[in-house]
Each structure stands twice: as structure tokens, then as C-alpha cells.
């Protein structure tokens, strides 16, 4: 059976990140069907909307939007009805729920979630810290981290760290290398949450083989030997158990799922340092 396609128009007065995330999360639930995405960010004027309407007219399909300016939203809805295109304001149900609960109307502020506030600068600071402490760099100030990730090579430490940094957590990651002891600075960590990452030997070997292939490197090495890899992982598990560090198996987890589990652990860990 061949794959079928449909046009999906995502219209936003901000970056469009919310729409893209929601649309892809839902579209992924339908096998054999793919969306041809048309993304229109920063639509805040009638002239900008005119271009959007022309493209929807050319390639009709589903229209999802986040336009807080009523006039622009009305024009878009009218065009969709004219063309018979299903359309939905993704934020409208949430606004309605909050408004009914809070008892106050919202103020239309396009892109308000991206204002340069303290949270924004916290994420920038976290990203800088994380990039400087990638792959075991600068171990002297590990306790300034919010999270420290440990694991053997190819356990998704760096991408997970970057994802956590984007959520505002300063994250260092340290590789566990056969024959080398972990940094002694780990012994003095007090505030940072240390998390061990593991995966099945089969998964690690597969990823490492792909890595060597991309580098045109020789694969006749213990780096991709299944028995050697299994021993690496066993040693890492014993280290985590001795230190009583939480462990997450990333074999069948996406980066987002791993990060979500770490965020939950960090919330629990942070409670230990809150004075009641």
C-alpha cells in the first residue's frame, strides 16, 4: 500500500514551534499518511496574511493556526470556510479553559511566550554551561551543574544534555572510558543530580558501528565487540549502584522521553534543598 499525503498549513504570529510540535505529534499517529507542511511564522499583518491565503488557495488542506489578533484570525477562518478547508485555532480551547477558570480575559500579545524575561536568560546560561561541559570538559566545577550525566560512549549523553539545557538546566556529561577512572570531582558533588545512562549492548554496538562507518574507520576493535561492550555497561551499572545514582535505560527511549524522566528526577532532587 502506497503512502498518501495531505497539505498541512501551520500559521503562527510567533515562531511556529508550538504548531509544529502539536501537528507532528498528532500526525505521527497515522501510519501510511504524511503531511506536506507549509509553515508561516511571524504572521502579524494583513499583507503577510495575504501571502498565506494565496498559498492555501493553491494547495488546500488542513489549516492549524495560532493567531491572537482577532481580525487576522477572522480573515483566515473565512478563507478556510470558502475553500472548505478544515481549520482549528490550536490555542483557543486552552484560552477558553483558562479564561473560564481564572475569570479574566486574556490580552492579545503575539509571541508573548518568547519575551526576553528571566527564564529566557536562564536557558541561555544553561546552554553555555552545557556546551562548555560536554564530554567531560571542565570537571572542576561540576557541582555548579543542575544535572550530571554519565554513561559509556553512545548512550545519548550530549543530545540529552542539550535538550535539558533548552529547558533551563545546566547539564554536564561525562563519558565512562574503559581503563579510566571517573573524575574525582564526582566525589564532592552535593547539589547536582547525577544520572547514569545505559543501553543494551546490541544497541550500543549498532550505533558505534554506524559511527565508525561514517568515519571510514576500522571496525576491528573492542569498541564494537559485543562482549567488550557488555562488560563496559556492566561496569557502569556497578558504579551507579555503588554511588546510589539513578539509572535510565535509553535503549528504547527517545531523547525527549529520557529528558522527561530526568526532569522528574531533578524536581524530586531539588526538593531536598528547599528549606521548609
Amino acid at each position: 500500500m502506497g503512502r498518501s499525503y495531505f497539505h498541512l498549513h501551520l500559521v503562527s504570529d510567533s515562531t511556529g514551534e508550538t504548531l509544529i510540535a502539536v501537528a507532528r505529534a498528532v500526525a505521527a499517529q497515522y501510519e501510511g499518511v504524511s503531511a506536506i507542511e507549509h509553515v508561516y511564522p511571524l504572521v502579524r499583518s494583513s499583507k503577510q496574511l495575504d501571502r498565506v491565503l494565496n498559498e492555501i488557495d493553491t494547495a488546500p488542506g488542513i489549516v492549524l493556526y495560532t493567531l491572537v489578533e482577532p481580525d487576522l484570525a477572522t480573515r483566515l477562518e473565512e478563507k478556510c470556510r470558502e475553500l472548505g478547508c478544515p481549520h482549528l485555532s490550536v490555542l483557543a480551547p486552552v484560552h477558553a479553559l483558562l479564561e473560564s477558570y481564572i475569570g479574566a480575559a486574556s490580552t492579545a500579545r503575539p509571541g508573548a511566550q518568547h519575551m526576553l524575561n528571566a527564564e529566557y536568560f536562564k536557558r541561555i546560561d544553561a546552554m553555555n554551561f552545557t556546551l562548555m561541559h560536554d564530554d567531560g570538559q571542565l570537571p572542576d566545577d561540576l557541582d555548579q551543574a543542575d544535572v550530571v550525566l554519565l554513561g559509556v560512549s553512545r548512550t545519548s549523553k550530549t543530545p540529552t544534555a542539550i535538550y535539558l539545557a533548552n529547558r533551563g538546566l545546566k547539564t554536564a556529561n561525562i563519558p565512562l572510558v574503559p581503563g579510566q577512572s571517573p573524575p574525582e570531582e564526582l566525589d564532592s558533588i552535593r547539589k547536582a543530580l547525577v544520572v547514569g545512562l545505559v543501553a543494551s549492548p546490541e544497541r550500543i554496538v549498532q550505533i558505534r558501528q554506524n559511527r565508525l562507518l561514517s568515519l571510514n574507520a576500522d571496525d576491528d576493535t573492542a569498541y564494537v565487540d559485543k562482549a567488550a561492550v557488555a562488560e563496559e555497561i556492566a561496569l557502569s551499572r556497578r558504579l551507579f549502584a555503588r554511588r546510589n545514582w539513578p539509572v535510565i535505560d535509553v535503549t528504547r527511549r527517545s531523547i525527549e522521553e529520557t529528558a522527561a524522566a530526568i526532569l522528574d528526577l531533578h524536581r524530586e532532587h531539588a526538593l531536598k534543598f528547599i528549606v521548609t
Side-chain angles (χ1 to χ4, degrees), residues 14-91:
S14 186
T15 62
E17 293 175 9
T18 300
L19 276 176
I20 293 171
V22 170
R24 289 180 179 175
V26 176
Q29 309 303 313
Y30 297 88
E31 295 184 6
V33 181
S34 294
I36 301 173
E37 293 181 355
H38 306 261
V39 183
Y40 316 95
L42 301 174
V43 178
R44 299 180 181 178
S45 70
S46 292
K47 184 176 181 180
Q48 291 169 327
L49 184 61
D50 287 340
R51 181 179 68 86
V52 175
L53 299 182
N54 288 335
E55 294 205 25
I56 295 174
D57 196 2
T58 302
I62 295 175
V63 178
L64 302 179
Y65 63 95
T66 53
L67 298 175
V68 299
E69 177 58 49
D71 291 342
L72 296 180
T74 298
R75 282 192 60 204
L76 178 62
E77 292 165 357
E78 289 175 349
K79 184 66 173 181
C80 288
R81 283 193 289 269
E82 175 188 327
L83 297 174
C85 292
H87 55 282
L88 176 68
S89 171
V90 171
L91 296 182

Side-chain angles (χ1 to χ4, degrees), residues 194-269:
V194 182
V195 179
L197 302 182
V198 298
S200 69
E202 294 79 9
R203 179 59 175 160
I204 295 295
V205 169
Q206 179 187 29
I207 297 173
R208 290 183 179 183
Q209 286 175 333
N210 291 338
R211 174 66 172 166
L212 292 179
L213 185 62
S214 68
L215 297 174
N216 292 319
D218 184 8
D219 63 357
D220 185 17
T221 169
Y223 184 68
V224 292
D225 179 78
K226 185 176 178 181
V229 171
E231 179 61 19
E232 280 187 61
I233 296 169
L235 287 172
S236 72
R237 284 186 177 275
R238 287 198 285 272
L239 170 65
F240 304 151
R242 285 199 307 270
R243 300 294 189 94
N244 200 30
W245 290 330
V247 178
I248 297 177
D249 190 328
V250 302
T251 304
R252 293 182 176 83
R253 289 180 187 256
S254 66
I255 299 301
E256 293 84 357
E257 289 170 330
T258 301
I262 294 171
L263 286 167
D264 284 340
L265 289 170
H266 182 262
R267 277 190 287 268
E268 295 177 8
H269 181 75

Side-chain angles (χ1 to χ4, degrees), residues 162-206:
I162 291 174
Y163 188 98
L164 291 170
N166 195 46
R167 296 293 298 272
L169 294 184
K170 295 179 181 178
T171 308
N173 79 82
I174 299 173
L176 297 178
V177 181
Q180 295 184 20
S181 299
E184 60 184 20
E185 287 81 5
L186 287 168
D187 298 332
S188 57
I189 282 182
R190 177 177 173 270
K191 291 187 177 180
L193 168 70
V194 182
V195 179
L197 302 182
V198 298
S200 69
E202 294 79 9
R203 179 59 175 160
I204 295 295
V205 169
Q206 179 187 29

